[in-house]
């Protein structure tokens, strides 16, 4: 044990000891793009000024842009004529703009509109879709977000790395989605939730914000299929099935979080009693009574229905049972 | 483990400058190493909520690590890590050539603690077999036994992905994921009918998932397609769990069992083949089609219908023959077609048709006799599947009268068809209209408003058994009216201030349900504000309040005569009230530019829920027991509050090196009559008696950080 402790301290001392040395070795500023990496004027289509012209005035933007994946593709590994256009691949032809000394917007697409009137959302999105209308974004057109006039740049920032990945506008997927979906974002802070706040899941673990053929913009074909991607033990099929479980996990659970254990929409036993109220023990409302010490306790015959996990105290296999005697999900 | 990780990481950091010298190659390292010390650590028994999804060790910690090699500032090989050596450790290795390919290996551990104050007697003699001594422990022994180790499940997802883009036209992706799950989670084991005894034990978790996904995509200007094949295998090392009965030591025919055995989740597999194609046509028209086929199978051998030796002998003598497995098979088919067109610049029309078919082709035989909880016999039953199909059509038109304004109106038709031999309502149709208004074209702000109204109606109610109350409607089949309003307003009055407000209302009513859910309402209101008074100071805050109101009506029915069945005074109404309030505030201030930064964060999450219930008329007319059984009351409210707070100071020694001192507190309070002070031995039920105990934690973290801004962990493994 003491050896392990000494190793920890040794590691700390080592890490601190090399600090000044590494500080010298690593503190070189990120280089701007070399002129040779920009497209020559002779190769440009009409109306285009070339990225070099952009840099005359927009060097500051390039400092951060140089660290992004788009910068690497456009300036270091362009595969298409469009990518070889550099800045103008996204911003459109800038010759009129440069020749007017920045006065004339010309054919430029304006994404950031703090100082200028923005281009229409579909025009802005059209720029991105030139390259990105494939794989996960094939169903963007007609999707919920597209029909609500959401711009790609509402969620993504291209000119600098703000996020771990995907050029998001906010630091994380949850923060980005939460800028509109506050209710869902905050649900992860409720008493019962999945580990989104701990960065173990993301909104995009289940949802495709770029559109899908499925409900709630899920990647999976149904809500249940989405749940099974982590909870395959619930997939079955089982000898004894529970109809609402087969059809939709969200009949009982709110996957974004809830006040109730297991992210249930309504607490047990009431959740179960919403359907099971025709015969037998689920029909009774159940009671707490005051005991001899003045404490409120469940009536003796109601302990198993009210305490701990309530109905699931006995009906443990409520998602389905493969036991020959498990019709009531108690086995 | 953490010490070893620290030594390895220190070695990596030391190696960086050497690697950096190679021609055309840049090596970069970053990381954080430090110490966490508790000023006030919750007692071990109260840790359950504090460490629910995380590991919070004291002493040496390694919050993050990054090591990257870039060649010609283009291709990169990167190693990322978080919480090194902990139960929630996250490691990723990624190689990337932008525009050409990407390879990623991710190991992202997830820990889930259920309880840290469980009292559980007995021995797990082999995985999933719990025994108790004879004679059985008495109540005092059960109630005062020592707390067992934390009841925890550990997930270990490992994900490997390779993506190749040999040309801008083609993408290939292959993904393999292994998720290992180990540990325990609480479960109940009942040994008799509803008035008999039960014991809370722990389900042993020794499961794995192995998933493979392969996809190919082709894309050109006017046509794109993706074909994906996915295979998933779930394996459970344990097919059952067995527990001694804490009250009975001898098996009896139909009267009691000394042990109980429950089936655990069976092994199963699933495959999915999906093809998506999209094409662009004239008039800015785009059509997409999706076809997906799914197959699921499960054929795990059944365990014996009872572990009670006396009952088992009786079944053998009677010559009952049980099926040996389900031969379970599910086929699903999805088709989806979408058309979007912009015939004129400011008008977009969309139409979609979707059909999903869920077929259960399992070999659903009759089970000749049921042994309820290993104790009593009941008449046999036919295993039932629940096939269904769902068809959905949607049309919408969006108009942009002015460029920044978007108005959309849509109509949705949704029909669900179920098997009338197993469900009460065979066909349910929902028709929904919606309108939305979006304004997002000004630097001053944006507005998004939407309103939805839908009516769901079923065809004739089909009473399946005479025991059913024919006036009850289950909420997933019942007629329903649905209204929802959402308003979101954002404003940026000056560049330094940004405000967002949201308001949402949902109203579901069930007009034709005499019994069952009557209404289900939701409301939320909230705001977020971001203020940057100077470039050196930023302040954020937010608040969201939600409240829910779900009401159902029930009728307690007992006896065999119509008079007792119809006693109207046995009506009871339950209203479930839920509220949650979440607030947060944070700030960042640069006290000395490029040198000293201070930041802080505070959050509060409060929840209250209450199960209210009452009888419109005092129950009367039955026996004392019957009237009592029909009497409803409001249960005490359950409350929960979590408040984390952190204050941090970062001092930059140089452009790369900084030190961080952080002080954090966390306050948690909880009251729920169902678990708070729950004695393990309560009547005939032997619980583990655990609950989420309140706590206060205070802890300090001191970190030495080297270029922490570089550490960017790719997407989560799950």
């Amino acid at each position: 044990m003491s050896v392990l402790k000494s190793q920890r301290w040794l590691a700390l001392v080592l890490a601190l000891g090399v600090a000044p040395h590494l500080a010298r070795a690593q503190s070189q500023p990120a280089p701007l793009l070399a002129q040779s990496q920009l497209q020559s004027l002779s190769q440009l289509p009409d109306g285009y000024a070339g990225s070099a012209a952009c840099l005359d005035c927009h060097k500051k933007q390039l400092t951060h842009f140089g660290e992004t994946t788009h910068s690497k593709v456009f300036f270091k590994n362009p595969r298409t004529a469009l990518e070889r256009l550099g800045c103008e691949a996204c911003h459109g032809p800038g010759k009129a703009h440069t020749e007017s000394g920045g006065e004339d917007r010309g054919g430029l697409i304006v994404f950031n509109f703090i100082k200028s009137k923005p281009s229409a959302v579909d025009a802005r999105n059209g720029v991105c879709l030139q390259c990105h209308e494939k794989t996960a974004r094939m169903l963007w057109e007609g999707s919920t977000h597209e029909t609500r006039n959401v711009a790609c740049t509402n969620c993504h920032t291209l000119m600098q790395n703000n996020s771990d990945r995907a050029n998001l506008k906010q630091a994380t997927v949850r923060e980005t989605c939460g800028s509109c979906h506050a209710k869902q974002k905050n649900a992860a802070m409720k008493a019962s939730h999945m580990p989104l706040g701990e960065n173990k899941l993301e909104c995009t673990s289940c949802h495709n914000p770029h559109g899908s053929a499925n409900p709630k913009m899920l990647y999976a074909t149904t809500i249940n299929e989405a749940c099974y991607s982590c909870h395959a033990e619930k997939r079955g099929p089982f000898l004894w099935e529970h109809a609402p479980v087969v059809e939709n996990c969200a009949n009982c659970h709110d996957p974004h979080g809830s006040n109730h254990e297991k992210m249930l929409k309504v607490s047990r036993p009431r959740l179960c009693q919403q359907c099971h109220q025709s015969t037998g023990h689920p029909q009774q409302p159940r009671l707490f009574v005051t005991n001899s010490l003045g404490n409120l306790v469940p009536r003796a015959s109601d302990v198993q229905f009210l305490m701990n996990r309530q109905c699931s105290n006995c009906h443990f296999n409520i998602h389905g049972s493969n036991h020959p005697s498990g019709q009531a999900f108690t086995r | 483990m953490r010490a070893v990780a620290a030594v390895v990481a220190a070695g990596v950091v030391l190696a960086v400058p050497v690697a950096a010298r190679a021609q055309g190659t840049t090596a970069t390292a970053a990381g954080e190493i430090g110490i966490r010390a508790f000023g006030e650590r919750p007692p071990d028994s109260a840790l359950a909520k504090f460490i629910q999804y995380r590991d919070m060790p004291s002493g040496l910690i390694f919050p993050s690590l990054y090591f990257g090699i870039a060649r010609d500032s283009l291709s990169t090989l990167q190693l990322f890590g978080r919480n090194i050596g902990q139960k929630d450790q996250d490691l990723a290795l990624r190689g990337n050539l932008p525009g050409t390919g990407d390879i990623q290996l991710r190991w992202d551990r997830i820990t889930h603690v259920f309880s840290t104050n469980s009292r559980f007697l007995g021995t797990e003699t082999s995985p999933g077999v719990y025994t108790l001594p004879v004679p059985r422990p008495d109540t005092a022994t059960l109630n005062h036994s020592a707390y067992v180790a934390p009841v925890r499940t550990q997930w270990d997802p490992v994900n490997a992905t390779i993506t190749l883009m040999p040309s801008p036209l083609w993408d290939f992706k292959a993904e393999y994921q292994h998720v290992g799950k180990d540990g325990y989670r609480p479960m109940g084991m009942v040994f008799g009918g509803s008035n008999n005894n039960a014991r809370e034990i722990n389900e042993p978790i020794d499961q794995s998932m192995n998933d493979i996904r392969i996809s190919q995509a082709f894309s050109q200007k006017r046509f794109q397609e993706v074909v994906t094949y996915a295979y998933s295998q779930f394996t459970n090392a344990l097919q059952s769990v067995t527990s001694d009965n804490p009250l009975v030591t001898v098996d009896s025919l139909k009267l009691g069992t000394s042990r109980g055995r429950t089936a655990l989740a069976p092994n199963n597999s699933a495959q999915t083949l999906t093809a998506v194609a999209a094409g662009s046509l004239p008039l800015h028209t785009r059509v997409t089609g999706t076809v997906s086929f799914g197959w699921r199978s499960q054929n795990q051998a059944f365990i014996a219908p009872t572990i009670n030796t006396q009952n088992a002998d009786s079944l053998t003598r009677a010559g009952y023959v049980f099926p040996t497995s389900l031969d379970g098979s599910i086929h699903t088919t999805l088709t989806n077609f979408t058309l979007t067109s912009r015939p004129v610049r400011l008008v977009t029309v969309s139409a979609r048709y979707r059909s999903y078919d869920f077929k259960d082709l399992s070999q659903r035989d009759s089970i000749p006799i049921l042994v309820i909880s290993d104790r009593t016999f009941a008449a046999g039953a036919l295993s039932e599947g629940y096939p269904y199909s769902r068809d959905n059509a949607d049309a919408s038109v969006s108009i942009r009268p002015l460029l920044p304004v978007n108005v959309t109106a849509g109509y949705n038709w949704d029909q669900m068809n179920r098997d009338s031999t197993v469900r009460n309502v065979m066909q349910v149709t929902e028709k929904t209209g919606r309108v939305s208004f979006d304004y997002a074209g000004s630097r001053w702000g944006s507005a998004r408003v939407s309103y939805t109204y839908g009516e769901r109606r079923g065809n004739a109610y089909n009473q399946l058994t005479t025991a059913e109350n024919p006036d009850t409607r289950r909420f997933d089949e019942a007629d329903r009216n649905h209204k929802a309003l959402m308003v979101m307003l954002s404003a940026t009055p000056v560049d330094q201030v940004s405000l967002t407000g949201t308001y949402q209302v949902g109203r579901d009513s069930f007009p034709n349900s005499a019994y069952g859910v009557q209404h289900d309402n939701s409301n939320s209101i909230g705001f977020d504000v971001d203020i940057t008074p100077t470039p050196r100071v930023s302040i954020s805050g937010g608040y969201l309040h939600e409240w829910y109101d779900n009401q159902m009506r029930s009728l307690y029915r007992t006896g065999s005569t119509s008079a007792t069945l119809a006693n109207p005074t046995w009506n009871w109404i339950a209203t479930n009230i839920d509220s949650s309030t979440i607030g947060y505030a944070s700030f960042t201030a640069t006290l000395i530019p490029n040198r000293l930064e201070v930041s802080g964060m505070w959050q509060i999450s409060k929840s209250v829920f209450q199960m209210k219930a009452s009888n419109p008329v005092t129950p009367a007319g039955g026996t004392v027991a019957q009237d009592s059984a029909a009497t409803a009351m409001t249960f005490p409210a359950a409350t929960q509050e979590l408040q984390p707070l952190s204050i941090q100071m970062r001092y930059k020694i140089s452009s790369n090196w900084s030190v961080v001192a952080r002080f954090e507190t966390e306050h948690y309070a909880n009251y729920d009559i169902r678990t708070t002070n729950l004695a393990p031995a309560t009547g005939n039920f032997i619980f583990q008696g655990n609950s989420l105990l309140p706590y206060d934690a205070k802890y300090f973290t001191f970190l030495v950080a080297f270029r922490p801004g570089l550490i960017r962990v790719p997407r989560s493994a799950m």
Side-chain angles (χ1 to χ4, degrees):
Chain A
M1 195 63 189
S2 60
V3 173
L4 279 177
K5 276 190 177 172
S6 66
Q7 281 181 341
R8 293 186 198 179
W9 289 108
L10 174 65
L12 187 60
V13 170
L14 283 172
L16 290 171
V18 298
H21 170 61
L22 287 175
R24 283 194 299 276
Q26 300 294 332
S27 60
Q28 298 157 7
L32 292 178
L33 298 173
Q35 196 65 32
S36 60
Q37 293 166 330
L38 304 176
Q39 197 167 24
S40 70
L41 285 171
S42 59
Q43 298 169 312
L44 292 168
D46 285 346
Y48 286 77
S51 297
C54 307
L55 297 185
D56 287 344
C57 298
H58 299 287
K59 264 187 186 144
K60 188 179 166 189
Q61 281 84 346
L62 194 66
T63 306
H64 296 296
F65 183 65
E67 297 170 355
T68 66
T69 301
H70 279 90
S71 164
K72 290 172 182 174
V73 171
F74 290 170
F75 295 116
K76 293 177 178 173
N77 190 29
R79 300 168 304 165
T80 64
L82 182 68
E83 289 171 357
R84 276 189 281 274
L85 290 173
C87 306
E88 291 166 296
C90 298
H91 291 281
K95 196 169 185 178
H97 180 67
T98 55
E99 287 179 350
S100 67
E103 293 295 319
D104 185 357
R105 186 165 133 178
L108 288 181
I109 303 286
V110 177
F111 293 93
N112 184 336
F113 45 94
I114 286 175
K115 292 179 181 170
S116 179
K117 191 178 170 189
S119 299
V121 169
D122 60 331
R124 281 184 270 158
N125 291 352
V127 170
C128 305
L129 294 173
Q130 290 178 105
C131 298
H132 294 287
E133 198 173 30
K134 60 179 184 175
T135 57
R137 293 156 300 272
M138 272 176 65
L139 302 177
W140 169 254
E141 295 232 13
S143 70
T144 306
H145 283 153
E146 194 267 345
T147 53
R148 295 295 300 272
N149 218 24
V150 173
C152 304
T153 49
N154 285 137
C155 304
H156 299 280
T157 292
L158 277 298
M159 295 305 291
Q160 60 188 47
N161 285 330
N162 280 351
S163 64
D164 291 349
R165 60 184 184 83
N167 300 308
L168 297 174
K169 206 161 189 174
Q170 309 284 341
T172 63
V173 174
R174 185 172 155 235
E175 288 294 322
T176 305
C177 300
S179 58
C180 289
H181 301 280
K183 198 170 158 181
Q184 283 75 14
K185 182 186 83 169
N186 287 304
M189 286 192 267
K190 287 186 177 176
S192 178
H193 62 271
M194 281 196 264
L196 272 86
E198 291 78 8
N199 296 314
K200 298 300 180 185
L201 284 174
E202 298 171 335
C203 309
T204 50
S205 298
C206 301
H207 301 280
N208 182 354
H210 303 108
S212 92
N214 308 313
K216 308 290 180 190
M217 292 200 285
L218 291 170
Y219 281 107
T221 49
T222 61
I223 289 173
N224 282 28
E225 292 286 353
C227 302
Y228 298 150
S229 65
C230 294
H231 301 283
E233 74 278 7
K234 310 274 192 301
R235 189 161 53 198
F238 296 99
L239 171 62
W240 305 107
E241 302 274 18
H242 192 181
V245 175
V246 172
E247 289 180 5
N248 190 349
C249 304
N251 277 332
C252 301
H253 299 278
D254 182 344
H256 298 110
S258 89
N259 287 353
H260 311 293
E261 64 281 1
K262 310 287 183 192
M263 295 183 291
L264 293 173
K265 287 175 147 176
V266 172
S267 183
R268 294 169 293 199
R270 301 294 183 238
L271 174 73
C272 308
Q273 290 176 315
Q274 289 183 340
C275 293
H276 297 280
Q277 53 171 252
S278 281
T279 57
H281 61 262
Q283 295 181 90
Q284 299 182 36
R286 305 294 167 184
L287 292 173
F288 283 93
V289 293
T290 305
N291 68 5
S292 57
L293 300 172
N295 297 325
L296 206 55
V297 296
R299 199 170 52 177
S301 58
D302 289 346
V303 167
Q304 66 268 41
F305 304 112
L306 295 178
M307 303 305 279
N308 209 31
R309 281 193 300 281
Q310 305 89 41
C311 309
S312 302
N313 284 327
C314 299
H315 302 279
F316 160 74
N317 265 330
I318 198 65
H319 297 103
S321 171
N322 216 44
H323 190 295
S325 298
Q327 188 194 27
F329 310 117
T330 56
R331 279 291 181 267
Chain B
M1 178 66 178
R2 275 182 289 135
V4 173
V7 172
V8 171
V12 169
V13 173
L14 281 169
V16 169
V18 178
R21 292 191 195 110
Q23 188 68 32
T25 302
T26 310
T28 313
E32 291 174 304
I33 187 170
I35 293 167
R36 179 186 292 129
F38 281 85
E40 182 179 354
R41 183 180 172 83
D44 288 348
S45 59
L47 279 172
K49 183 70 177 175
F50 188 62
I51 57 170
Q52 184 180 23
Y53 287 125
R54 60 183 177 175
D55 196 2
M56 292 293 286
S58 57
L60 187 64
I61 55 170
F62 226 123
S64 59
L65 168 74
Y66 170 85
F67 177 65
I69 298 174
R71 188 171 177 80
D72 299 325
S73 302
L74 182 63
S75 57
T76 53
L77 179 66
Q78 299 161 301
L79 173 70
F80 310 84
R82 283 192 299 214
N83 301 332
I84 311 298
Q86 297 183 187
K87 290 187 175 67
D88 53 356
Q89 173 183 273
D90 180 6
L91 285 176
L93 181 67
R94 184 181 183 194
N96 178 259
L97 180 58
T100 302
D102 188 278
I103 184 166
Q104 181 178 309
L105 185 65
R106 185 82 183 263
W107 177 30
D108 189 4
R109 311 191 74 198
I110 303 172
T111 187
H112 186 181
V113 174
F114 297 95
S115 85
T116 49
N117 63 337
S118 288
R119 298 180 196 273
F120 183 64
L121 282 177
T123 309
E124 190 177 9
T125 53
S126 60
V129 178
Y130 296 103
T131 59
L132 285 166
V134 178
R136 300 297 197 228
D138 58 20
T139 298
T141 308
L142 290 164
N143 285 348
H144 298 101
S145 61
Y147 294 139
V148 297
V151 180
R152 177 201 305 269
T153 303
Q154 183 75 39
W155 288 27
D156 278 288
V158 178
N159 181 297
T161 308
I162 182 166
T163 308
L164 295 175
M165 292 157 275
S167 83
L169 300 179
W170 292 94
D171 286 59
F172 297 94
K173 186 174 182 180
E175 187 174 356
Y176 168 72
Q177 178 166 278
H178 170 86
V179 183
K181 302 179 186 178
D182 288 294
Y184 297 91
R185 68 170 188 145
M187 64 171 278
M189 173 77 81
V190 64
F191 301 99
S194 59
N195 292 318
N196 289 284
N197 72 301
R199 180 189 185 199
E200 185 179 20
I201 58 173
N202 288 319
E203 178 192 355
I205 307 288
D206 186 359
Q207 305 170 352
S208 65
M209 288 168 55
N210 288 284
D211 295 354
I212 296 168
R213 179 181 294 268
I214 301 166
S215 68
Q216 160 278 320
F218 174 77
S219 169
Q220 56 169 238
K221 191 168 177 59
R222 293 203 167 272
F223 175 77
Q224 300 87 34
E225 57 84 10
V226 179
V227 178
T228 305
Y229 170 77
Y231 175 80
S232 173
Q233 173 73 47
F234 169 77
T235 307
N236 194 344
L238 299 166
Q239 291 305 313
S240 69
V241 59
T242 303
S243 167
D244 277 355
N245 185 340
L247 298 186
V248 177
T249 56
V250 178
D251 284 346
S252 306
L253 181 65
K254 304 179 187 177
L255 294 176
T257 181
S258 65
R259 293 179 297 164
R261 182 165 63 181
T262 295
L264 297 179
N267 298 342
N268 65 66
S269 64
Q271 300 175 75
T272 313
L273 179 65
T274 305
V276 186
S280 298
L281 304 172
L283 292 176
H284 297 281
T285 300
R286 184 169 170 83
V287 289
T288 62
T290 303
V291 181
S292 180
F293 302 99
W295 303 268
R296 290 185 219 160
S297 64
Q298 187 275 107
N299 201 26
Q300 182 76 42
F302 295 146
I303 61 175
T306 179
I307 196 174
N308 181 329
T309 51
Q310 298 294 313
N311 286 349
D313 286 347
S314 174
L315 293 179
T316 304
R317 283 196 300 274
Y320 286 111
V321 177
F322 289 82
T324 55
S325 66
L326 178 64
D327 196 10
S329 176
I330 301 289
H331 287 190
T332 63
T333 308
L334 165 75
T335 50
N336 184 85
F337 298 98
T338 306
L339 181 146
T340 305
S341 182
R342 190 168 295 142
V344 294
R345 176 77 196 280
L346 301 178
V347 177
T348 304
V349 292
S350 296
R352 182 168 65 85
Y353 175 75
R354 184 180 194 272
S355 174
Y356 180 77
D357 189 32
F358 178 96
K359 280 193 173 71
D360 188 331
L361 304 176
S362 305
Q363 187 67 42
R364 297 207 171 269
D365 296 323
S366 276
I367 301 297
I369 189 168
L370 303 173
V371 186
I372 306 300
S373 305
D374 288 302
R375 185 173 185 267
T376 49
F377 293 136
L382 178 67
S383 163
E384 291 174 345
Y386 297 99
Y388 69 93
S389 65
R390 189 166 189 174
D391 297 290
N392 179 293
D394 188 282
S396 70
V397 57
S398 294
I399 301 170
R400 298 179 177 99
L402 300 168
L403 262 186
V405 174
N406 184 76
V407 179
T408 302
Y411 177 80
N412 188 286
W413 172 89
D414 186 290
Q415 187 171 82
M416 190 135 175
N417 287 284
R418 299 174 168 103
D419 182 346
S420 63
T421 62
V422 291
R423 300 304 305 272
N424 295 122
V425 184
M426 190 181 78
Q427 189 176 78
V428 173
T429 306
E430 184 161 23
K431 298 168 183 172
T432 306
R434 64 183 188 277
V435 290
S436 62
F437 169 88
D438 300 280
Y439 172 76
S442 160
R443 58 171 295 201
W444 305 107
S446 63
R448 295 189 185 279
V449 181
S450 66
Y451 178 76
T452 303
Y453 179 79
E455 288 188 358
R456 186 176 75 185
R457 296 291 182 266
N459 64 354
Y461 180 81
N462 171 34
Q463 187 172 0
L464 293 169
T465 68
T466 53
E468 283 183 350
N469 181 346
D471 297 323
T472 294
R473 295 290 179 273
R474 293 188 164 97
F475 67 87
D476 57 334
E477 301 174 315
D479 291 356
R480 181 183 70 178
N481 295 340
H482 169 76
K483 296 177 203 169
L485 171 70
M486 193 281 284
V487 179
M488 191 182 86
L489 302 172
S490 297
T492 310
V494 293
D495 286 349
Q496 292 80 11
V497 178
S498 161
L499 293 160
T500 302
T502 57
Y503 176 63
Q504 288 186 57
V505 182
R507 294 281 181 270
D508 283 6
S509 59
F510 298 80
N512 299 317
S513 298
Y515 298 101
V517 177
Q518 303 296 295
H519 68 245
D520 188 4
N521 298 336
S522 64
N523 311 268
S524 75
I525 187 163
F527 69 86
D528 286 287
V529 58
D530 295 294
I531 304 171
T532 312
T534 78
R536 286 163 56 174
V537 177
S538 65
I539 302 166
S540 296
Y543 169 87
L544 183 77
H545 181 64
E546 293 176 69
W547 64 106
Y548 297 84
D549 160 14
N550 173 292
Q551 188 174 83
M552 67 176 197
R553 178 183 283 269
S554 300
L555 173 62
Y556 172 59
R557 306 187 311 158
T558 189
S560 55
T561 68
S562 58
T564 51
L565 281 171
N567 186 338
T569 73
W570 292 348
N571 263 297
W572 59 281
I573 295 171
T575 307
N576 302 288
I577 304 290
D578 255 309
S579 79
S580 80
T581 305
I582 288 161
Y584 78 91
S586 64
F587 76 95
T588 303
T590 304
L591 301 184
I592 305 172
N594 298 317
R595 191 63 71 183
L596 183 61
E597 181 185 279
V598 180
S599 59
M601 182 279 296
W602 169 78
Q603 280 183 2
I604 184 167
S605 168
K606 290 179 77 167
S607 68
V608 180
F609 78 86
Q610 188 162 32
M611 290 182 264
K612 294 185 172 181
S614 61
N615 300 96
V617 177
T618 303
T623 64
V624 172
Q626 288 169 344
D627 291 343
S628 172
T631 302
M633 68 176 288
T634 293
F635 299 160
T639 59
Q640 195 161 192
E641 179 179 327
L642 180 67
Q643 271 195 69
L645 167 77
S646 75
I647 302 288
Q648 173 179 294
M649 187 173 72
R650 176 182 293 275
Y651 182 78
K652 293 189 81 172
I653 300 169
S654 70
S655 58
N656 287 328
W657 286 91
S658 58
V659 291
V660 176
R662 188 185 304 143
F663 172 66
E664 290 168 89
T665 69
E666 195 164 296
H667 167 77
Y668 177 71
N670 169 50
Y671 174 77
D672 187 336
I673 194 172
R674 301 169 304 172
T675 52
T676 304
N677 300 322
L678 175 65
T682 303
N684 285 339
F685 269 64
I686 313 302
F687 300 110
Q688 296 190 29
N690 58 290
S691 62
L692 295 175
L693 297 180
Y695 63 81
D696 280 289
K698 294 184 177 67
Y699 51 103
F700 303 87
T701 308
F702 179 79
L703 298 174
V704 176
F706 179 67
R707 304 188 75 179
L710 286 169
I711 302 165
R712 298 193 178 92
V713 179
R715 72 173 295 165
S716 62
M718 297 303 295

